[in-house]
Amino acid sequence: MDSAEALASMPFVFKTREFCACAGVKPSSASRSLRAAAAEGIVSRVGRGLWQRSDSEAPVAECSTPHPFPPAWMNANECLMDAAFGAAPRRMSHLMALEAAGVPLVVGPQLSFPHEHARTAMPLGITVFSEPRDRVCLFAARLTERTWMSSPTRAAVETAQHDVAAPLWDERIAWVFAEDGGAILDAEEAVEISDALQMRAGLRRLSSIADALRRLAASDPGGSLGSVPDQWANIVTARRGDAWIRLRRSMRAPLGPSEAAWVDSERKVLWDRHPRALAASLMT
C-alpha cells in the first residue's frame, strides 16, 4: 500500500508505528512521509509519534452528560486521548475543571491518568497528572465512556494540593471566594475529598486563603472583597504534629515563620506575599 492509501485508511489520530504497519515501511520512511504530508496540510503532529488528520473530522463522541466544551473539541480530544493512552480512564482536572465550572481563566488541557498510563505519551500542550487508578473517577462527573471531569470542589482541592497546575492558581481560588462567595464549591465535599484522597495540605491552603481574605474584608467593610464564606475559613486547622507548609510551593521557600511575608499559625501555612497583594491581584 502506498503512502497516500495508508494515510486515507488511518483513524483521525494515529501513531507513527500504525502508519508503518499499514504502509509496510520502516520508521524512518514513515517519518519522512508524514512530515511531507504535514507540509501539505494533510496531517498535523499533535505529540511525539502522534498525528492528526486534517482531511477528515473526528468521530462524534457519545457524551453521558452536558459539558461546557465545544463538540468539535470534545470529539478531537477523545480521539487524541484514545490514541495516546488507550482505554485508560482519564479525568479533566485541576484548573481545567475550574475553568469549566465558570472561573475566569485561560488554561491548556490538564488531565489526570492512572500511574501506569500517565507517561505513555505526551500530546502537545497537555499537562498530565498521575494518581492511583481507583482515584481517577472519584468526586467527578462522567462525560464519555472513558473521560471524567473533576467536580469544582475536587478541582480546587487538587490544585491547591499539588500547586503545579499554574503559577498563580491562588489568585483563581481567591476569585472563587471573593467574587463568587465560594458558591461553586462544597465545603462538606472538600472535607470528604481531603480525607479520601489524602489532600489535607490542599484543604489547609484553601482555608488559609479564605481566612486571609475574610480578615482583609473585615478590616475594610466597604472594600471590594465581598462576603468571604466563614465556613471555608473555619473548615480546618493544623493538627498536632502537622509540618509547616508553603502556600505556593513553586515560589522561593521561606525557611520558617520568621521569613514568611504572612504567617497563618492556625493552619501552619507560610505565605510568600502578604494577602493584600493577593487581594490587589483580583482587581487587575
Side-chain angles (χ1 to χ4, degrees):
M1 183 180 296
D2 64 25
S3 295
E5 291 176 322
L7 276 176
S9 68
M10 289 291 98
F12 184 70
V13 179
F14 60 93
K15 295 181 179 180
T16 303
R17 66 170 178 261
E18 293 174 323
F19 179 79
C20 287
C22 185
V25 297
K26 295 180 178 179
S28 58
S29 297
S31 295
R32 284 195 298 270
S33 296
L34 291 170
R35 287 197 299 269
E40 295 178 10
I42 300 173
V43 299
S44 59
R45 182 174 178 268
V46 292
R48 184 177 181 182
L50 284 173
W51 304 84
Q52 179 174 299
R53 293 177 58 175
S54 306
D55 60 351
S56 63
E57 295 183 355
V60 175
E62 184 175 343
C63 295
S64 305
T65 186
H67 60 81
F69 306 107
W73 181 90
M74 195 70 185
N75 296 339
N77 186 71
E78 285 297 289
C79 290
L80 177 59
M81 293 299 99
D82 285 346
F85 301 100
R90 59 259 184 165
R91 190 183 71 258
M92 297 178 183
S93 61
H94 296 77
L95 288 179
M96 184 183 191
L98 275 184
E99 180 184 27
V103 178
L105 58 92
V106 177
V107 65
Q110 298 181 343
L111 296 110
S112 296
F113 289 84
H115 286 310
E116 64 270 25
H117 291 275
R119 300 302 170 187
T120 302
M122 184 63 72
L124 299 177
I126 296 178
T127 302
V128 175
F129 299 89
S130 63
E131 59 191 36
R133 176 179 283 268
D134 61 1
R135 297 184 183 182
V136 172
C137 303
L138 297 180
F139 304 100
R142 189 173 200 163
L143 301 186
T144 69
E145 180 183 0
R146 288 179 289 279
T147 302
W148 302 69
M149 183 162 66
S150 295
S151 71
T153 305
R154 174 168 183 173
V157 175
E158 65 193 1
T159 294
Q161 175 74 22
H162 299 144
D163 185 28
V164 292
L168 298 177
W169 63 268
D170 54 329
E171 293 184 6
R172 297 302 88 206
I173 297 297
W175 183 93
V176 173
F177 290 138
E179 301 294 334
D180 184 60
I184 68 170
L185 305 182
D186 185 311
E188 291 185 3
E189 182 187 359
V191 174
E192 291 182 35
I193 291 169
S194 170
D195 293 339
L197 305 183
Q198 299 176 346
M199 292 186 178
R200 194 163 173 275
L203 189 63
R204 286 162 62 190
R205 291 186 177 103
L206 294 182
S207 181
S208 186
I209 291 172
D211 180 65
L213 294 177
R214 183 184 62 169
R215 291 174 185 273
L216 289 177
S219 65
D220 183 17
S224 59
L225 290 180
S227 178
V228 179
D230 289 344
Q231 60 180 342
W232 279 94
N234 299 325
I235 200 170
V236 67
T237 57
R239 296 172 180 167
R240 183 174 182 177
D242 278 346
W244 285 92
I245 57 175
R246 289 171 293 180
L247 181 67
R248 295 193 296 172
R249 294 186 300 174
S250 57
M251 302 302 292
R252 192 176 76 84
L255 299 179
S258 64
E259 298 182 26
W262 175 263
V263 177
D264 181 351
S265 299
E266 292 183 28
R267 297 157 198 83
K268 298 185 75 171
V269 178
L270 304 177
W271 291 50
D272 62 285
R273 57 175 172 168
H274 195 281
R276 283 193 297 269
L278 177 62
S281 70
L282 300 179
M283 306 302 295
T284 60

